[in-house]
Amino acid sequence: MKRRVTKAIFPVAGLGTRFLPATKAIPKEIMTLVDRPLIQYAIDEARAAGIREFIFVTSRGKSALEDYFDHAPQLEQALRKAGKKELLEILQSTNMDSGAIAYVRQHEARGLGHAVWCARRLIAGNEPFAVILPDDVMAAEKPVLQQMVEAYAETGGNMVAAMEVPREKVSAYGVVEIAEDMGRMVRVGGLVEKPAPEEAPSNLAVIGRYILTPQILRHLNRKKVGAGGEIQLTDAIAAEVGGQGVYAYRFEGERYDCGSKAGFLEATVSFALAREDLGADFRRFLEGIVARSNAAE
Ligand code: G1P
């Protein structure tokens, strides 16, 4: 098995109903954190980790995503003419190489495992691949997928990103059964998708970054239905515990759950505060409104 990871699957077929009415007309992945679409953060993280081929699993109503990744020659021309070099650079940094992106449609909403399975023909029989859930936005000095690719070069097998969550929250996640705890790295003895807190094997939760062997796609072929009546990626990975092995990697960094409104707002505020061009003024503004609202209480 070669260990270089150069392809990533981005499941983006979800309807984004939690963000209605915004998502009535635009895909959730185009919604912006400060001034960049959610999907751009996932792409940048993948690129930093050495990903060269990007596979999007989409659905009806997602064509704005394809337009977003297209080059924009007229816009580039206008910016060039106007001498707006910085904006031109920002625009060009989102350009993708021709042939580097593939789109696959998921025709029915049958779960994350099914979405990944839809991309099976684009993954060769012996190559590992990454899966990135763009809803999980990561802020880290070294991009999280890069941390994992480096760790994976040592371990091989399958790897999921993981972090401790409060016990009462485990039913929102895939949860790890710890076979051996080596600190940053955990050898996984089992995985359970969305367990009840009292049944969860630990409070170590799977976060949306994966490096997987093609064997996972073979498990998904069985179309076994799991939690919530959906075909779960977690179940297919669990089936490899006794096969090529599964590791959970406690990443360094901050994770924002941008699948929820609260998480999206937290990411927005935190990313705005971290920006050189906006941070100082925005901090003063926030301090002001917090002070006023405290005084009014
Ligand atoms: C998915 C996975 C789950 C994982 C989570 C991380 O769930 O099925 O195992 O813990 O992403 O964000 P979802 O959030 O799509 O329900």
Side-chain angles (χ1 to χ4, degrees):
M1 166 78 69
K2 65 171 191 169
R3 293 262 174 99
R4 268 188 55 143
V5 188
T6 57
K7 289 185 185 171
I9 299 176
F10 300 79
V12 290
L15 293 175
T17 46
R18 282 197 214 163
F19 288 92
L20 280 170
T23 46
K24 186 179 169 198
I26 53 158
K28 181 178 61 178
E29 296 75 19
I30 297 285
M31 285 173 51
T32 50
L33 287 176
V34 188
D35 51 11
R36 295 149 67 74
L38 205 59
I39 193 69
Q40 189 65 49
Y41 292 87
I43 295 289
D44 290 349
E45 186 184 330
R47 274 181 168 158
I51 300 298
R52 296 287 166 264
E53 292 179 59
F54 304 80
I55 302 165
F56 289 86
V57 182
T58 68
S59 60
R60 191 178 293 270
K62 297 280 178 164
S63 48
L65 260 178
E66 292 189 37
D67 291 340
Y68 175 75
F69 286 120
D70 209 348
H71 292 210
Q74 281 177 327
L75 194 50
E76 285 185 19
Q77 179 69 17
L79 292 175
R80 204 171 288 117
K81 250 193 173 159
K84 302 204 161 146
K85 254 186 85 186
E86 265 177 44
L87 287 178
L88 185 62
E89 272 169 28
I90 290 173
L91 185 64
Q92 286 174 332
S93 74
T94 65
N95 284 351
M96 303 288 271
D97 293 341
S98 295
I101 306 191
Y103 299 93
V104 178
R105 277 226 178 165
Q106 183 186 20
H107 297 112
E108 340 163 66
R110 294 183 66 187
L112 178 59
H114 181 257
V116 170
W117 176 81
C118 287
R120 68 199 175 282
R121 294 221 166 79
L122 300 174
I123 305 288
N126 63 349
E127 65 181 345
F129 59 96
V131 175
I132 296 187
L133 310 187
D135 273 357
D136 283 334
V137 174
M138 312 298 230
E141 217 159 285
K142 182 185 280 187
V144 171
L145 190 64
Q146 191 184 345
Q147 296 175 32
M148 289 173 70
V149 163
E150 289 174 10
Y152 172 80
E154 306 289 324
T155 61
N158 298 275
M159 189 177 283
V160 300
M163 72 181 214
E164 262 74 32
V165 300
R167 219 348 116 166
E168 66 274 16
K169 298 264 170 75
V170 288
S171 53
Y173 298 92
V175 178
V176 172
E177 182 193 323
I178 299 175
E180 187 187 352
D181 200 333
M182 298 170 273
R184 197 158 283 296
M185 193 83 79
V186 167
R187 199 163 55 73
V188 173
L191 287 165
V192 191
E193 179 69 10
K194 304 203 166 70
E198 60 280 11
E199 279 159 20
S202 76
N203 66 335
L204 186 61
V206 176
I207 300 303
R209 301 289 182 276
Y210 308 80
I211 299 176
L212 302 175
T213 58
Q215 192 59 31
I216 299 298
L217 300 169
R218 280 168 222 134
H219 293 304
L220 289 171
N221 263 333
R222 292 195 208 113
K223 307 251 181 70
K224 207 179 121 232
V225 171
E230 297 191 329
I231 299 170
Q232 296 293 351
L233 183 59
T234 302
D235 295 342
I237 302 170
E240 272 303 284
V241 165
Q244 286 171 320
V246 181
Y247 296 90
Y249 180 82
R250 288 191 180 98
F251 57 90
E252 225 168 313
E254 202 64 47
R255 172 253 185 177
Y256 296 95
D257 173 14
C258 290
S260 78
K261 286 176 215 180
F264 203 98
L265 277 173
E266 285 162 18
T268 303
V269 170
S270 149
F271 286 14
L273 282 172
R275 281 271 293 254
E276 257 176 45
D277 54 342
L278 302 168
D281 285 347
F282 190 50
R283 179 179 305 278
R284 270 190 291 279
F285 166 76
L286 285 181
E287 283 165 356
I289 50 169
V290 169
R292 279 197 297 281
S293 107
N294 282 347
E297 265 172 27

